[in-house]
Amino acid sequence: MTPHGPDLSLTALILAADPVVKSVMALLVLASIACWGVMIEKFITLGRLAREARAIKEIEQPQGDGLAAEVLRAGGTEWREGRDDEESGGEFRDRIERAMRSVFAARMRLAEHGLPILATTGSVAPFVGLFGTVWGIMNSFSGIAQRQDTSLATVAPGIAEALFATAIGLAAAIPAVMAYNRCAIRLGRIRAEGFSAIGTIAQRLARRPRVARPAAVRGAAAE
């Protein structure tokens, strides 16, 4: 309480809050920090994935450990095995494409790690903040009943700290929702671009002169 009335600064509201409301605020702050960590990591990861997806149809020889090189090596392995005698050209192309898609899809699944944190925070944080608000307002009404005083000086601090919990919940949820939608859209575009490039590469490999499988390889496959 200041000489001019109740202290409604953020620090005072947090320190004076009920333990339950403080716990809600701390939980929301931790969730927000985790979300920002995921956002920064996804910004870096998706930027690198986008460059590697574009590189799939640009590089000729797979070198290094990048995604584009891994995808092309997988396709090259299938192409070098050659076609079976009973395998059509389309089936050969599909086999090459499946091998490359498998590598690419595995990397895309790894890139999705962390997105559930954004989705959960974006959907749950407002309700957690609302719970803190409801709890704080209940305490305010309880204090009014005990003091038999309905003046603004009595009501304002409790209601302010309660509403502050909702504000923190919204501050955590809004960036999380925006980041999740942005990441989901960008992942979809990268996936589409990568699969398109893989289809082009598979078609190109399948049109190269046929490489027959060695007899030993065919015999092992038949067994």
Side-chain angles (χ1 to χ4, degrees):
M1 180 77 69
T2 65
H4 303 287
D7 187 358
L8 298 181
S9 64
L10 295 182
T11 303
L13 291 176
I14 294 173
L15 294 176
D18 179 84
V20 174
V21 179
K22 285 182 180 178
S23 299
V24 168
M25 292 179 181
L27 179 63
L28 291 172
V29 169
L30 290 175
S32 181
I33 293 173
C35 286
W36 280 102
V38 171
M39 289 181 223
I40 295 171
E41 187 270 333
K42 290 306 166 198
F43 176 80
I44 297 171
T45 299
L46 295 183
R48 183 176 66 252
L49 272 178
R51 291 191 297 271
E52 291 178 341
R54 287 192 295 269
I56 290 176
K57 57 184 176 182
E58 296 174 359
I59 64 175
E60 294 294 332
Q61 295 296 329
Q63 297 177 349
D65 298 324
L67 176 60
E70 292 179 7
V71 167
L72 290 178
R73 274 195 290 267
T77 299
E78 291 294 326
W79 176 79
R80 284 191 296 272
E81 288 186 1
R83 287 168 50 187
D84 290 329
D85 293 335
E86 67 276 7
E87 190 176 35
S88 67
E91 290 171 339
F92 182 43
R93 184 197 64 216
D94 289 342
R95 177 156 58 85
I96 296 173
E97 186 172 348
R98 282 197 305 272
M100 292 192 289
R101 277 175 172 257
S102 176
V103 174
F104 187 79
R107 184 67 68 88
M108 293 299 293
R109 285 194 295 271
L110 287 177
E112 293 173 354
H113 289 175
L115 292 184
I117 295 176
L118 298 179
T120 302
T121 300
S123 60
V124 173
F127 297 102
V128 175
L130 182 60
F131 169 76
T133 297
V134 172
W135 189 275
I137 291 176
M138 287 170 58
N139 284 336
S140 295
F141 284 125
S142 178
I144 292 172
Q146 291 176 2
R147 298 187 188 93
Q148 298 295 317
D149 183 4
T150 59
S151 65
L152 185 62
T154 301
V155 177
I159 293 180
E161 72 187 37
L163 293 176
F164 186 51
T166 296
I168 295 178
L170 293 175
I174 293 173
V177 171
M178 294 176 65
Y180 177 83
N181 291 335
R182 174 63 177 168
C183 289
I185 291 172
R186 197 170 186 193
L187 275 169
R189 290 174 178 171
I190 294 172
R191 185 179 287 107
E193 184 176 5
F195 284 165
S196 174
I198 286 171
T200 301
I201 296 296
Q203 190 172 23
R204 188 186 308 165
L205 286 174
R207 288 177 177 175
R208 289 185 180 182
R210 177 179 174 180
V211 177
R213 286 189 179 184
V217 175
R218 291 198 299 269
E223 294 177 0

